[in-house]
Structure formats: C-alpha cells, structure tokens
Amino acid sequence: MTDEKLLYEGKAKNVYQAKQADEVLMVYKDQATAFNGKKKELEPGKGVLNCKISSLVFDYLIKNGIKTHLVRNVSDHEQLVKKTEVFPLEVVLRNITAGSFAKKFDVETGTHLEEPIIEFYYKSDALDDPFINESQIHALKIADKQDIQYIKELTLKINQLLIPFFAQGNFDLVDFKLEFGKIGSEIILVDEFSPDNCRLWDKQSHDSMDKDVFRKHEADLVTTYQKVLDRLVSQEN
Ligand code: 5GP
C-alpha cells in the first residue's frame, strides 16, 4: 500500500498522489456497488481481477494506437497512471439493447443495433449521474464541441477494437462506459475497463458475465470475473 496523499475516494478505486507530480496511483478495491451505491458488498478478490482485466484491455488498446493514462502496474491491484483533467462524463456505447436503454424505451433486451449508440451522462453521485446531451455539455462548459466530437470518434474506434478482442474470448460486447481526460490539448482514455463497466454475454448461452450478476443476484461476482480473466488470458496464448 501507499502512504501517499489520498486524492480521491471512489466506489471501486482510490486515487493517490504518486511520487512524480504528473502521475497518480489507482488502487482497486474489493468493494462492489450497484444502483449508485445503494447496494454495496465486499467481494474479496474483485480488485485484483479488475486490475488484471483492465490491464489486458488497456495494453491491447495501446498496442492498437489508443492513447491511455496507463503507465504501468505496480502490484496486482495498483496501477500508476498519468494525472489528467478528467471530464465529468460517463460515455456509454451500446451495441446490443440492454440495461437502462431497454427499460427507458420499453424495448426487448438482446437486439443487435444497426449502429452503435453513444450516450453521455454527467458524473455526479449527488444528481445520480443524469443523462446529458451535447448542447448541455457545451452550455455547462464541460467540454467544447471539438472535444465532444473527438471523444465520440475515439469511443467508436475503441468499440471497433474491443468487439473482436472480446469475441476471441467468446463474449458479445453488449455495452460499456468509458471516461476520458485531458493532458494539455490531448484527450486520452482514463479510468478502467472491466466487467464493472461493461456488459459481456457468453456468445452461446447469452449468460451475463459482468456486474449484472451482482445487480441481479444471478451468480457469484468474483467467480464470474475470474472466468472472464481466464478466457481473455487463454485467447492470448
Ligand atoms: P446502463 O445505462 O444500461 O445502466 O449502463 C450501460 C453500461 O454502462 C453498462 O455496461 C454499465 O455497466 C455501464 N455504466 C453505466 N453507469 C455506470 C457507472 O456509474 N459506473 C460504472 N462502473 N459503469 C457504468
């Protein structure tokens, strides 16, 4: 662990100042939450699994030309990352109908969309992460039009890279949430990519292999995330 200054306490990670002024340490926690923290449980092993899964995904994206904040892993549950000015936005991309989209529009879950959908949510626990549109993002000076356009293009590009990545592990990439940060004028991918922030369905059985198992009490979270890691690792070898 670190004795450095705690900069931010999140639901799934803590962020500390690193030795270098322009870097921070992300420490993955074993705590699982859902419904904006209303459901909260300790899941021993979750932090290590998410750190390992996110490292695999980020390493793959980096190899394919996506700029991210990842510097290196410093332990099995800690990553050194570049300090950025994080946009207070959750960028959600959907390939298949599920979750809040299916509920909001009363459409069937599991329909493959002709084109991916991108949605923005304003990151605010107090406001329950409300949906926000591009004009609102602009009006509130959260990001300018050029930044929003670039974030959308980058999200689509990441999706095009991740669909085949997860398909090799026999998963359908249903949807996911990304976050972006800025260093100077450059926008890069930040946060994590794990079953906490995406929906992965087994291609044959369509079983959920992500945080929905926790949200819906369908299966053990740690056992499920371990299976995701094992399948992603075995595809690499
Ligand atoms: P939905 O809007 O259907 O609830 O979520 C869409 C996708 O974004 C899912 O993969 C979900 O896990 C992810 N997502 C949405 N909001 C959050 C959030 O506040 N935190 C995390 N980690 N993921 C989120």
Side-chain angles (χ1 to χ4, degrees), residues 11-12 36 90-94 98-102 119 121 123 125 129 174-179 191-192 194-200 210-212 215:
K11 291 196 275 282
N36 198 16
E90 297 191 338
V91 185
V92 168
L93 183 144
R94 302 179 193 275
S100 71
F101 181 87
E119 297 165 4
Y121 294 85
K123 242 177 108 74
D125 283 342
D129 298 343
V174 175
D175 56 32
F176 55 83
K177 183 265 296 177
L178 301 179
E179 294 185 28
D191 197 46
E192 66 177 278
S194 74
D196 264 11
N197 64 277
C198 68
R199 286 194 172 90
L200 298 172
D210 54 63
K211 201 155 88 173
D212 270 351
R215 294 187 187 102

mmCIF file of all heavy atoms in Angstrom, residues 11-12 36 90-94 98-102 119 121 123 125 129 174-179 191-192 194-200 210-212 215, ligand 1:
data_model
loop_
_atom_site.group_PDB
_atom_site.id
_atom_site.type_symbol
_atom_site.label_atom_id
_atom_site.label_comp_id
_atom_site.label_asym_id
_atom_site.label_seq_id
_atom_site.Cartn_x
_atom_site.Cartn_y
_atom_site.Cartn_z
ATOM 1 N N LYS A 11 -15.905 4.554 -5.480
ATOM 2 C CA LYS A 11 -16.619 3.373 -5.008
ATOM 3 C C LYS A 11 -15.791 2.105 -5.261
ATOM 4 O O LYS A 11 -15.808 1.189 -4.455
ATOM 5 C CB LYS A 11 -17.985 3.276 -5.700
ATOM 6 C CG LYS A 11 -18.939 4.402 -5.242
ATOM 7 C CD LYS A 11 -20.370 4.127 -5.602
ATOM 8 C CE LYS A 11 -20.716 4.554 -7.010
ATOM 9 N NZ LYS A 11 -20.930 5.988 -7.217
ATOM 10 N N ALA A 12 -15.072 2.091 -6.381
ATOM 11 C CA ALA A 12 -14.316 0.887 -6.746
ATOM 12 C C ALA A 12 -12.804 1.087 -6.690
ATOM 13 O O ALA A 12 -12.048 0.107 -6.751
ATOM 14 C CB ALA A 12 -14.720 0.434 -8.148
ATOM 15 N N ASN A 36 -26.030 3.159 -7.913
ATOM 16 C CA ASN A 36 -25.409 4.371 -7.362
ATOM 17 C C ASN A 36 -25.087 4.215 -5.866
ATOM 18 O O ASN A 36 -25.316 5.118 -5.070
ATOM 19 C CB ASN A 36 -26.311 5.585 -7.616
ATOM 20 C CG ASN A 36 -25.542 6.895 -7.480
ATOM 21 O OD1 ASN A 36 -24.303 6.899 -7.490
ATOM 22 N ND2 ASN A 36 -26.246 7.993 -7.333
ATOM 23 N N GLU A 90 -19.653 10.272 -18.226
ATOM 24 C CA GLU A 90 -19.614 8.843 -18.493
ATOM 25 C C GLU A 90 -20.077 8.691 -19.931
ATOM 26 O O GLU A 90 -21.172 9.143 -20.282
ATOM 27 C CB GLU A 90 -20.557 8.104 -17.548
ATOM 28 C CG GLU A 90 -20.132 8.261 -16.092
ATOM 29 C CD GLU A 90 -20.874 7.332 -15.151
ATOM 30 O OE1 GLU A 90 -21.969 6.871 -15.509
ATOM 31 O OE2 GLU A 90 -20.334 7.091 -14.063
ATOM 32 N N VAL A 91 -19.223 8.107 -20.746
ATOM 33 C CA VAL A 91 -19.560 7.923 -22.154
ATOM 34 C C VAL A 91 -19.968 6.462 -22.345
ATOM 35 O O VAL A 91 -19.150 5.557 -22.178
ATOM 36 C CB VAL A 91 -18.354 8.272 -23.062
ATOM 37 C CG1 VAL A 91 -18.759 8.207 -24.529
ATOM 38 C CG2 VAL A 91 -17.789 9.645 -22.704
ATOM 39 N N VAL A 92 -21.234 6.254 -22.639
ATOM 40 C CA VAL A 92 -21.761 4.892 -22.777
ATOM 41 C C VAL A 92 -21.940 4.574 -24.252
ATOM 42 O O VAL A 92 -22.492 5.385 -25.013
ATOM 43 C CB VAL A 92 -23.097 4.739 -22.010
ATOM 44 C CG1 VAL A 92 -23.815 3.441 -22.371
ATOM 45 C CG2 VAL A 92 -22.862 4.809 -20.501
ATOM 46 N N LEU A 93 -21.450 3.400 -24.663
ATOM 47 C CA LEU A 93 -21.689 2.930 -26.031
ATOM 48 C C LEU A 93 -22.454 1.615 -25.944
ATOM 49 O O LEU A 93 -22.120 0.751 -25.132
ATOM 50 C CB LEU A 93 -20.369 2.724 -26.789
ATOM 51 C CG LEU A 93 -20.572 2.290 -28.252
ATOM 52 C CD1 LEU A 93 -19.519 2.910 -29.169
ATOM 53 C CD2 LEU A 93 -20.582 0.766 -28.427
ATOM 54 N N ARG A 94 -23.473 1.488 -26.813
ATOM 55 C CA ARG A 94 -24.286 0.267 -26.831
ATOM 56 C C ARG A 94 -24.258 -0.382 -28.210
ATOM 57 O O ARG A 94 -24.523 0.290 -29.212
ATOM 58 C CB ARG A 94 -25.748 0.584 -26.507
ATOM 59 C CG ARG A 94 -25.945 1.243 -25.173
ATOM 60 C CD ARG A 94 -27.415 1.563 -24.913
ATOM 61 N NE ARG A 94 -27.518 2.469 -23.776
ATOM 62 C CZ ARG A 94 -27.543 2.089 -22.507
ATOM 63 N NH1 ARG A 94 -27.500 0.813 -22.201
ATOM 64 N NH2 ARG A 94 -27.632 2.978 -21.538
ATOM 65 N N ALA A 98 -29.934 -3.349 -23.868
ATOM 66 C CA ALA A 98 -29.913 -3.929 -22.515
ATOM 67 C C ALA A 98 -30.032 -2.785 -21.516
ATOM 68 O O ALA A 98 -30.073 -1.603 -21.896
ATOM 69 C CB ALA A 98 -28.621 -4.718 -22.272
ATOM 70 N N GLY A 99 -30.078 -3.138 -20.247
ATOM 71 C CA GLY A 99 -29.957 -2.187 -19.153
ATOM 72 C C GLY A 99 -30.943 -1.032 -19.223
ATOM 73 O O GLY A 99 -32.126 -1.203 -19.520
ATOM 74 N N SER A 100 -30.411 0.174 -18.960
ATOM 75 C CA SER A 100 -31.296 1.339 -18.848
ATOM 76 C C SER A 100 -31.949 1.696 -20.179
ATOM 77 O O SER A 100 -33.038 2.266 -20.206
ATOM 78 C CB SER A 100 -30.528 2.547 -18.292
ATOM 79 O OG SER A 100 -29.621 3.036 -19.239
ATOM 80 N N PHE A 101 -31.287 1.365 -21.289
ATOM 81 C CA PHE A 101 -31.856 1.681 -22.606
ATOM 82 C C PHE A 101 -33.122 0.844 -22.842
ATOM 83 O O PHE A 101 -34.169 1.377 -23.253
ATOM 84 C CB PHE A 101 -30.823 1.414 -23.714
ATOM 85 C CG PHE A 101 -31.306 1.726 -25.099
ATOM 86 C CD1 PHE A 101 -31.183 3.007 -25.618
ATOM 87 C CD2 PHE A 101 -31.905 0.750 -25.888
ATOM 88 C CE1 PHE A 101 -31.645 3.311 -26.889
ATOM 89 C CE2 PHE A 101 -32.365 1.044 -27.158
ATOM 90 C CZ PHE A 101 -32.230 2.324 -27.665
ATOM 91 N N ALA A 102 -33.021 -0.450 -22.545
ATOM 92 C CA ALA A 102 -34.165 -1.344 -22.750
ATOM 93 C C ALA A 102 -35.325 -0.915 -21.835
ATOM 94 O O ALA A 102 -36.487 -0.927 -22.250
ATOM 95 C CB ALA A 102 -33.756 -2.782 -22.458
ATOM 96 N N GLU A 119 -24.160 7.545 -25.659
ATOM 97 C CA GLU A 119 -24.897 8.406 -24.720
ATOM 98 C C GLU A 119 -23.901 9.017 -23.742
ATOM 99 O O GLU A 119 -22.890 8.394 -23.408
ATOM 100 C CB GLU A 119 -25.896 7.563 -23.888
ATOM 101 C CG GLU A 119 -26.976 6.896 -24.705
ATOM 102 C CD GLU A 119 -27.700 5.803 -23.899
ATOM 103 O OE1 GLU A 119 -27.424 5.625 -22.700
ATOM 104 O OE2 GLU A 119 -28.533 5.115 -24.511
ATOM 105 N N TYR A 121 -23.506 10.764 -19.836
ATOM 106 C CA TYR A 121 -24.090 11.005 -18.514
ATOM 107 C C TYR A 121 -23.151 11.931 -17.751
ATOM 108 O O TYR A 121 -21.917 11.809 -17.869
ATOM 109 C CB TYR A 121 -24.275 9.685 -17.747
ATOM 110 C CG TYR A 121 -25.307 8.799 -18.402
ATOM 111 C CD1 TYR A 121 -24.934 7.938 -19.450
ATOM 112 C CD2 TYR A 121 -26.641 8.857 -18.036
ATOM 113 C CE1 TYR A 121 -25.878 7.153 -20.105
ATOM 114 C CE2 TYR A 121 -27.596 8.078 -18.676
ATOM 115 C CZ TYR A 121 -27.210 7.228 -19.719
ATOM 116 O OH TYR A 121 -28.144 6.460 -20.364
ATOM 117 N N LYS A 123 -21.299 12.982 -14.617
ATOM 118 C CA LYS A 123 -20.836 12.238 -13.434
ATOM 119 C C LYS A 123 -21.103 13.048 -12.170
ATOM 120 O O LYS A 123 -20.384 14.007 -11.896
ATOM 121 C CB LYS A 123 -19.328 12.008 -13.570
ATOM 122 C CG LYS A 123 -18.935 10.548 -13.646
ATOM 123 C CD LYS A 123 -17.441 10.413 -13.849
ATOM 124 C CE LYS A 123 -16.772 9.905 -12.604
ATOM 125 N NZ LYS A 123 -16.989 8.506 -12.328
ATOM 126 N N ASP A 125 -22.633 11.887 -8.237
ATOM 127 C CA ASP A 125 -23.351 10.992 -7.317
ATOM 128 C C ASP A 125 -24.572 11.699 -6.746
ATOM 129 O O ASP A 125 -25.641 11.108 -6.627
ATOM 130 C CB ASP A 125 -22.425 10.557 -6.168
ATOM 131 C CG ASP A 125 -21.448 9.472 -6.610
ATOM 132 O OD1 ASP A 125 -21.699 8.842 -7.656
ATOM 133 O OD2 ASP A 125 -20.430 9.280 -5.926
ATOM 134 N N ASP A 129 -25.955 10.736 -11.592
ATOM 135 C CA ASP A 129 -25.418 10.645 -12.960
ATOM 136 C C ASP A 129 -26.489 10.871 -14.036
ATOM 137 O O ASP A 129 -26.820 9.955 -14.796
ATOM 138 C CB ASP A 129 -24.767 9.269 -13.208
ATOM 139 C CG ASP A 129 -23.585 8.991 -12.295
ATOM 140 O OD1 ASP A 129 -23.055 9.942 -11.690
ATOM 141 O OD2 ASP A 129 -23.188 7.815 -12.206
ATOM 142 N N VAL A 174 -21.769 -6.140 -25.220
ATOM 143 C CA VAL A 174 -23.123 -5.570 -25.301
ATOM 144 C C VAL A 174 -23.083 -4.050 -25.191
ATOM 145 O O VAL A 174 -23.619 -3.326 -26.023
ATOM 146 C CB VAL A 174 -24.008 -6.174 -24.179
ATOM 147 C CG1 VAL A 174 -25.382 -5.516 -24.144
ATOM 148 C CG2 VAL A 174 -24.121 -7.676 -24.358
ATOM 149 N N ASP A 175 -22.438 -3.555 -24.131
ATOM 150 C CA ASP A 175 -22.294 -2.107 -23.931
ATOM 151 C C ASP A 175 -21.150 -1.853 -22.969
ATOM 152 O O ASP A 175 -20.610 -2.787 -22.365
ATOM 153 C CB ASP A 175 -23.608 -1.462 -23.445
ATOM 154 C CG ASP A 175 -24.156 -2.093 -22.172
ATOM 155 O OD1 ASP A 175 -23.349 -2.548 -21.340
ATOM 156 O OD2 ASP A 175 -25.388 -2.128 -22.002
ATOM 157 N N PHE A 176 -20.759 -0.601 -22.851
ATOM 158 C CA PHE A 176 -19.688 -0.263 -21.903
ATOM 159 C C PHE A 176 -19.710 1.230 -21.612
ATOM 160 O O PHE A 176 -20.359 2.011 -22.320
ATOM 161 C CB PHE A 176 -18.305 -0.672 -22.445
ATOM 162 C CG PHE A 176 -17.945 -0.132 -23.798
ATOM 163 C CD1 PHE A 176 -17.418 1.145 -23.940
ATOM 164 C CD2 PHE A 176 -18.113 -0.906 -24.939
ATOM 165 C CE1 PHE A 176 -17.066 1.649 -25.187
ATOM 166 C CE2 PHE A 176 -17.768 -0.419 -26.198
ATOM 167 C CZ PHE A 176 -17.251 0.862 -26.319
ATOM 168 N N LYS A 177 -18.990 1.597 -20.550
ATOM 169 C CA LYS A 177 -18.877 3.002 -20.137
ATOM 170 C C LYS A 177 -17.399 3.385 -20.128
ATOM 171 O O LYS A 177 -16.579 2.652 -19.574
ATOM 172 C CB LYS A 177 -19.458 3.146 -18.730
ATOM 173 C CG LYS A 177 -19.487 4.546 -18.172
ATOM 174 C CD LYS A 177 -18.309 4.906 -17.302
ATOM 175 C CE LYS A 177 -18.159 4.123 -16.037
ATOM 176 N NZ LYS A 177 -16.921 4.518 -15.274
ATOM 177 N N LEU A 178 -17.083 4.488 -20.764
ATOM 178 C CA LEU A 178 -15.692 4.971 -20.777
ATOM 179 C C LEU A 178 -15.619 6.333 -20.108
ATOM 180 O O LEU A 178 -16.614 7.053 -20.018
ATOM 181 C CB LEU A 178 -15.184 5.121 -22.218
ATOM 182 C CG LEU A 178 -15.176 3.899 -23.124
ATOM 183 C CD1 LEU A 178 -14.659 4.288 -24.510
ATOM 184 C CD2 LEU A 178 -14.335 2.763 -22.553
ATOM 185 N N GLU A 179 -14.398 6.693 -19.693
ATOM 186 C CA GLU A 179 -14.139 8.054 -19.217
ATOM 187 C C GLU A 179 -12.889 8.571 -19.904
ATOM 188 O O GLU A 179 -11.987 7.788 -20.265
ATOM 189 C CB GLU A 179 -13.978 8.059 -17.685
ATOM 190 C CG GLU A 179 -15.285 7.696 -17.004
ATOM 191 C CD GLU A 179 -15.249 7.790 -15.489
ATOM 192 O OE1 GLU A 179 -14.467 8.594 -14.961
ATOM 193 O OE2 GLU A 179 -16.008 7.047 -14.860
ATOM 194 N N ASP A 191 -9.484 5.915 -16.417
ATOM 195 C CA ASP A 191 -10.287 5.007 -15.597
ATOM 196 C C ASP A 191 -9.908 3.549 -15.880
ATOM 197 O O ASP A 191 -8.725 3.232 -15.970
ATOM 198 C CB ASP A 191 -11.778 5.297 -15.804
ATOM 199 C CG ASP A 191 -12.646 4.692 -14.713
ATOM 200 O OD1 ASP A 191 -12.293 4.833 -13.530
ATOM 201 O OD2 ASP A 191 -13.671 4.067 -15.034
ATOM 202 N N GLU A 192 -10.896 2.674 -16.012
ATOM 203 C CA GLU A 192 -10.622 1.246 -16.163
ATOM 204 C C GLU A 192 -11.557 0.651 -17.207
ATOM 205 O O GLU A 192 -12.536 1.292 -17.599
ATOM 206 C CB GLU A 192 -10.844 0.516 -14.830
ATOM 207 C CG GLU A 192 -12.300 0.510 -14.373
ATOM 208 C CD GLU A 192 -12.537 -0.279 -13.082
ATOM 209 O OE1 GLU A 192 -12.655 -1.518 -13.156
ATOM 210 O OE2 GLU A 192 -12.618 0.357 -12.015
ATOM 211 N N SER A 194 -13.389 -3.011 -17.222
ATOM 212 C CA SER A 194 -13.530 -4.297 -16.528
ATOM 213 C C SER A 194 -15.004 -4.693 -16.572
ATOM 214 O O SER A 194 -15.843 -3.901 -17.029
ATOM 215 C CB SER A 194 -13.082 -4.125 -15.070
ATOM 216 O OG SER A 194 -14.074 -3.398 -14.368
ATOM 217 N N PRO A 195 -15.346 -5.888 -16.065
ATOM 218 C CA PRO A 195 -16.779 -6.267 -16.051
ATOM 219 C C PRO A 195 -17.625 -5.375 -15.150
ATOM 220 O O PRO A 195 -18.838 -5.499 -15.127
ATOM 221 C CB PRO A 195 -16.761 -7.712 -15.524
ATOM 222 C CG PRO A 195 -15.368 -8.197 -15.742
ATOM 223 C CD PRO A 195 -14.484 -7.002 -15.610
ATOM 224 N N ASP A 196 -16.974 -4.454 -14.421
ATOM 225 C CA ASP A 196 -17.728 -3.462 -13.636
ATOM 226 C C ASP A 196 -18.358 -2.404 -14.532
ATOM 227 O O ASP A 196 -19.337 -1.765 -14.137
ATOM 228 C CB ASP A 196 -16.781 -2.716 -12.678
ATOM 229 C CG ASP A 196 -16.778 -3.317 -11.288
ATOM 230 O OD1 ASP A 196 -17.334 -4.411 -11.110
ATOM 231 O OD2 ASP A 196 -16.203 -2.675 -10.385
ATOM 232 N N ASN A 197 -17.748 -2.141 -15.674
ATOM 233 C CA ASN A 197 -18.243 -1.038 -16.504
ATOM 234 C C ASN A 197 -18.588 -1.462 -17.939
ATOM 235 O O ASN A 197 -18.609 -0.636 -18.841
ATOM 236 C CB ASN A 197 -17.257 0.148 -16.495
ATOM 237 C CG ASN A 197 -15.939 -0.196 -17.095
ATOM 238 O OD1 ASN A 197 -15.089 -0.759 -16.415
ATOM 239 N ND2 ASN A 197 -15.759 0.094 -18.375
ATOM 240 N N CYS A 198 -18.847 -2.771 -18.101
ATOM 241 C CA CYS A 198 -19.335 -3.201 -19.428
ATOM 242 C C CYS A 198 -20.293 -4.373 -19.242
ATOM 243 O O CYS A 198 -20.387 -4.938 -18.159
ATOM 244 C CB CYS A 198 -18.170 -3.616 -20.329
ATOM 245 S SG CYS A 198 -17.319 -5.118 -19.822
ATOM 246 N N ARG A 199 -21.025 -4.692 -20.293
ATOM 247 C CA ARG A 199 -21.818 -5.925 -20.288
ATOM 248 C C ARG A 199 -21.186 -6.897 -21.281
ATOM 249 O O ARG A 199 -20.955 -6.536 -22.444
ATOM 250 C CB ARG A 199 -23.281 -5.667 -20.688
ATOM 251 C CG ARG A 199 -24.073 -4.983 -19.613
ATOM 252 C CD ARG A 199 -25.589 -5.028 -19.856
ATOM 253 N NE ARG A 199 -26.281 -4.516 -18.672
ATOM 254 C CZ ARG A 199 -26.602 -3.222 -18.494
ATOM 255 N NH1 ARG A 199 -26.326 -2.337 -19.435
ATOM 256 N NH2 ARG A 199 -27.202 -2.844 -17.393
ATOM 257 N N LEU A 200 -20.900 -8.089 -20.786
ATOM 258 C CA LEU A 200 -20.345 -9.149 -21.619
ATOM 259 C C LEU A 200 -21.285 -10.338 -21.527
ATOM 260 O O LEU A 200 -21.620 -10.763 -20.423
ATOM 261 C CB LEU A 200 -18.958 -9.582 -21.089
ATOM 262 C CG LEU A 200 -17.853 -8.534 -21.068
ATOM 263 C CD1 LEU A 200 -16.622 -9.075 -20.327
ATOM 264 C CD2 LEU A 200 -17.470 -8.139 -22.497
ATOM 265 N N ASP A 210 -20.665 -10.207 -16.143
ATOM 266 C CA ASP A 210 -20.297 -8.836 -15.781
ATOM 267 C C ASP A 210 -21.058 -8.458 -14.515
ATOM 268 O O ASP A 210 -21.670 -9.325 -13.883
ATOM 269 C CB ASP A 210 -20.661 -7.901 -16.933
ATOM 270 C CG ASP A 210 -22.124 -8.083 -17.304
ATOM 271 O OD1 ASP A 210 -22.993 -7.809 -16.454
ATOM 272 O OD2 ASP A 210 -22.420 -8.540 -18.438
ATOM 273 N N LYS A 211 -21.064 -7.179 -14.187
ATOM 274 C CA LYS A 211 -21.662 -6.757 -12.913
ATOM 275 C C LYS A 211 -23.163 -7.019 -12.827
ATOM 276 O O LYS A 211 -23.728 -6.988 -11.732
ATOM 277 C CB LYS A 211 -21.347 -5.281 -12.629
ATOM 278 C CG LYS A 211 -21.495 -4.956 -11.150
ATOM 279 C CD LYS A 211 -20.678 -3.793 -10.683
ATOM 280 C CE LYS A 211 -21.400 -2.502 -10.838
ATOM 281 N NZ LYS A 211 -20.678 -1.373 -10.242
ATOM 282 N N ASP A 212 -23.811 -7.319 -13.926
ATOM 283 C CA ASP A 212 -25.239 -7.668 -13.861
ATOM 284 C C ASP A 212 -25.467 -8.890 -12.960
ATOM 285 O O ASP A 212 -26.538 -9.016 -12.358
ATOM 286 C CB ASP A 212 -25.814 -7.938 -15.260
ATOM 287 C CG ASP A 212 -26.356 -6.653 -15.903
ATOM 288 O OD1 ASP A 212 -26.428 -5.615 -15.196
ATOM 289 O OD2 ASP A 212 -26.688 -6.687 -17.102
ATOM 290 N N ARG A 215 -25.797 -7.211 -9.741
ATOM 291 C CA ARG A 215 -27.018 -6.381 -9.694
ATOM 292 C C ARG A 215 -28.267 -7.258 -9.569
ATOM 293 O O ARG A 215 -29.199 -6.931 -8.856
ATOM 294 C CB ARG A 215 -27.149 -5.534 -10.978
ATOM 295 C CG ARG A 215 -26.069 -4.479 -11.164
ATOM 296 C CD ARG A 215 -26.390 -3.591 -12.382
ATOM 297 N NE ARG A 215 -25.322 -2.678 -12.711
ATOM 298 C CZ ARG A 215 -24.450 -2.863 -13.706
ATOM 299 N NH1 ARG A 215 -24.535 -3.931 -14.491
ATOM 300 N NH2 ARG A 215 -23.502 -1.976 -13.938
HETATM 301 P P1 5GP B 1 -26.925 1.271 -18.323
HETATM 302 O O1 5GP B 1 -27.131 2.681 -18.762
HETATM 303 O O2 5GP B 1 -27.599 0.292 -19.228
HETATM 304 O O3 5GP B 1 -27.241 1.047 -16.868
HETATM 305 O O4 5GP B 1 -25.343 1.007 -18.444
HETATM 306 C C1 5GP B 1 -24.695 0.940 -19.694
HETATM 307 C C2 5GP B 1 -23.273 0.443 -19.497
HETATM 308 O O5 5GP B 1 -22.501 1.445 -18.808
HETATM 309 C C3 5GP B 1 -23.152 -0.830 -18.640
HETATM 310 O O6 5GP B 1 -22.120 -1.622 -19.177
HETATM 311 C C4 5GP B 1 -22.802 -0.305 -17.260
HETATM 312 O O7 5GP B 1 -22.032 -1.244 -16.546
HETATM 313 C C5 5GP B 1 -22.007 0.953 -17.577
HETATM 314 N N1 5GP B 1 -22.246 2.001 -16.586
HETATM 315 C C6 5GP B 1 -23.257 2.893 -16.555
HETATM 316 N N2 5GP B 1 -23.155 3.703 -15.483
HETATM 317 C C7 5GP B 1 -22.053 3.314 -14.817
HETATM 318 C C8 5GP B 1 -21.420 3.774 -13.614
HETATM 319 O O8 5GP B 1 -21.855 4.723 -12.938
HETATM 320 N N3 5GP B 1 -20.299 3.103 -13.221
HETATM 321 C C9 5GP B 1 -19.797 2.044 -13.936
HETATM 322 N N4 5GP B 1 -18.703 1.419 -13.490
HETATM 323 N N5 5GP B 1 -20.356 1.625 -15.090
HETATM 324 C C10 5GP B 1 -21.476 2.229 -15.515
#
